[in-house]
Amino acid sequence: MIKDGFRIADSADYAGTEAALKGWVSHIRSSGSLFFIEVRDGTGFIQAVVVKSEVSEQTFEICSKLTIESSLIVRGMIREDSRAPGGFEMSVHDIEPVNIPEEEYPISKKAHGIDFLMEHRHLWVRSRRQLAILRVRSELIRISRAYFHDNGYVLIDTPILTGSIGESSGSLFETEYFDFGNAFLAQTGQLYLEAAASAFGKVFCLGPTFRAEKSKTRRHLTEFWMLEAEVAFYDSDRNMELQEDMVSYLVRNIIESCERELGYLERDLDALQKIIPPFPRISYGEAIELLKKKDFRVRWGDDIGGDEETALSQSFEKPVFIYNYPMEIKAFYMKPDPRDSRIVLCNDLLAPEGYGEIIGGSQRNDDYDSLLARINEEGLNSDLYRWYLDIRRYGSVPHSGFGLGIERLLAWICRLPHVREAIPFPRLINRLYP
Ligand code: 4AD
Ligand code: MG
């Protein structure tokens, strides 16, 4: 009896024994009395070798019918072989086809355009490069959660359907909501995390967030995953220390746990190994001066756009903090700088190698009156923010937090040209299928 549950990644434990390999054909070639079938099972790839004289006539016949992405169960002996790509091969005894496609698999070895691949995303996820990227994503999320759990944070799941908005009203998805008129899909979990930070001190969340941004850039999705943290009694400086500690931890651990995937993606690990605290910090004012020197036509008060971000992030080997932006261009909840009321205590963190913003963070306005004034100035309905203002009425404390875009971080770590490859099924302004 062959034990069930073999997976390619566990080949070493099975060397010299019989196994039932369940998977899909990724490549097949024959040479007369032999078939070489490369099989994928999600944990890796292995070559299954069929020798005509060692199998039944029926099994050998099946081999000539197998096509790319046929699903099958292959039984045979796992053998160590130093010449094999993964170090192991299977000598086949028997093949049980599960499904042999009637039509040719749409994705072949030849180069396909990005639109074609995006249209076939449901099949594209089976390809080696996508397998590598999505496995790094899975690990990144596991490691992110571990970082917060191991450092005394409590997970707070914040709502997706919300009444009060957290970021600019220009990028809201609305949906009908019974007697309340409209609800909005969450742009951030932050406001709710702030309430929870006054309950637990240190909290985090990780969930989908939505932005109806009309941006068609390599950095924008309409649905993306955000990792957010909020800490009571942290000021903006301490908040930046937390961010550099977390980002360094994530990068260090991903290099270790995804060596194979990053190797497949040909990621330059030297660049990632430099990601250790402290990260450089420059003020918004200094960033504007730096951009002027690089011939950008920018003035104090302008937002730092995509091209400017790229240029700034190419100037540093490590992620760089840009802190204390003009109030005008940042969200209503940020705390004004007590030394200069034109600016707010906040930061963006730009990833190097041209990747740009991966984190937005700030110290929050903890003063009832000035926060209410800002809510009114923004034209928001203060009635919907009663609960948020309550946090400032009952035991208000200085507090800070940040949000990190998982896809942007992953795009940088894997050095992807676009965030669309950094999420299993991307949602873009021009894509809702598949
Ligand atoms: O800078 P943002 O808008 O900050 C917030 O939402 C804060 N409320 C977070 C907080 O303080 N708790 O977004 C945070 C991060 C960005 O730095 C970026 O990495 C990512 O979310 N992000 C996007 N990623 C992909 N597509 C988009 N359209 C994104 N918008 C923001
Ligand atoms: Mg931002």
Side-chain angles (χ1 to χ4, degrees), residues 330 348 357 360:
K330 286 292 182 187
D348 279 0
E357 181 190 337

Side-chain angles (χ1 to χ4, degrees), residues 189-215:
Q190 177 196 323
L191 307 196
Y192 299 94
L193 273 195
E194 285 185 56
S198 282
F200 290 101
K202 294 163 82 172
V203 291
F204 79 105
C205 66
L206 171 62
T209 45
F210 306 86
R211 305 271 169 106
E213 261 166 325
K214 295 236 161 61
S215 313

Side-chain angles (χ1 to χ4, degrees), residues 25 28-30 32-35 37 50-67 70 72 92-97 100:
V25 175
I28 182 161
R29 67 191 166 90
S30 75
S33 58
L34 293 170
F35 272 98
I37 311 170
V50 186
V51 181
K52 191 172 183 180
S53 59
E54 291 173 8
V55 297
S56 68
E57 219 167 278
Q58 193 197 7
T59 289
F60 200 74
E61 240 164 67
I62 286 167
C63 290
S64 59
K65 297 199 178 87
L66 291 175
T67 57
S70 292
L72 73 188
V92 177
H93 298 157
D94 158 62
I95 293 178
E96 184 186 321
I100 299 178

Side-chain angles (χ1 to χ4, degrees), residues 359-373:
I359 289 184
S362 61
Q363 185 166 340
R364 321 305 190 185
N365 192 342
D366 51 347
D367 175 66
Y368 183 92
D369 292 324
S370 69
L371 179 60
L372 177 60

Side-chain angles (χ1 to χ4, degrees), residues 27-48:
H27 186 69
I28 182 161
R29 67 191 166 90
S30 75
S31 79
S33 58
L34 293 170
F35 272 98
F36 300 96
I37 311 170
E38 185 190 59
V39 180
R40 177 193 81 249
D41 76 347
T43 70
F45 293 77
I46 194 167
Q47 179 160 272

Side-chain angles (χ1 to χ4, degrees), residues 222-323:
T222 52
E223 177 180 303
F224 62 97
W225 284 65
M226 210 198 294
L227 177 65
E228 296 181 82
E230 195 70 32
V231 188
F233 298 103
Y234 269 22
D235 64 10
S236 183
D237 283 335
R238 189 68 186 82
N239 191 32
M240 285 189 267
E241 279 170 29
L242 169 62
Q243 292 163 55
E244 66 193 3
D245 186 65
M246 182 199 67
V247 169
S248 309
Y249 175 91
L250 297 182
V251 171
R252 190 168 71 240
N253 282 278
I254 212 76
I255 294 175
E256 216 178 72
S257 79
C258 294
E259 199 188 341
R260 199 172 56 144
E261 287 76 15
L262 295 173
Y264 182 77
L265 297 168
E266 295 179 356
R267 181 56 163 112
D268 166 19
L269 293 184
D270 288 347
L272 292 182
Q273 260 138 7
K274 294 192 180 119
I275 311 307
I276 39 176
F279 296 168
R281 296 182 187 191
I282 60 172
S283 68
Y284 166 86
E286 288 165 331
I288 292 294
E289 292 311 312
L290 200 71
L291 286 167
K292 281 183 186 160
K293 284 200 197 111
K294 290 178 182 286
D295 292 333
F296 280 91
R297 298 180 65 157
V298 285
R299 281 187 317 206
W300 198 95
D302 290 348
D303 203 355
I304 295 180
D307 293 339
E308 287 86 356
E309 271 181 30
T310 304
L312 287 171
S313 91
Q314 278 163 345
S315 315
F316 299 89
E317 281 195 330
K318 290 187 196 182
V320 55
F321 286 111
I322 308 203
Y323 63 89

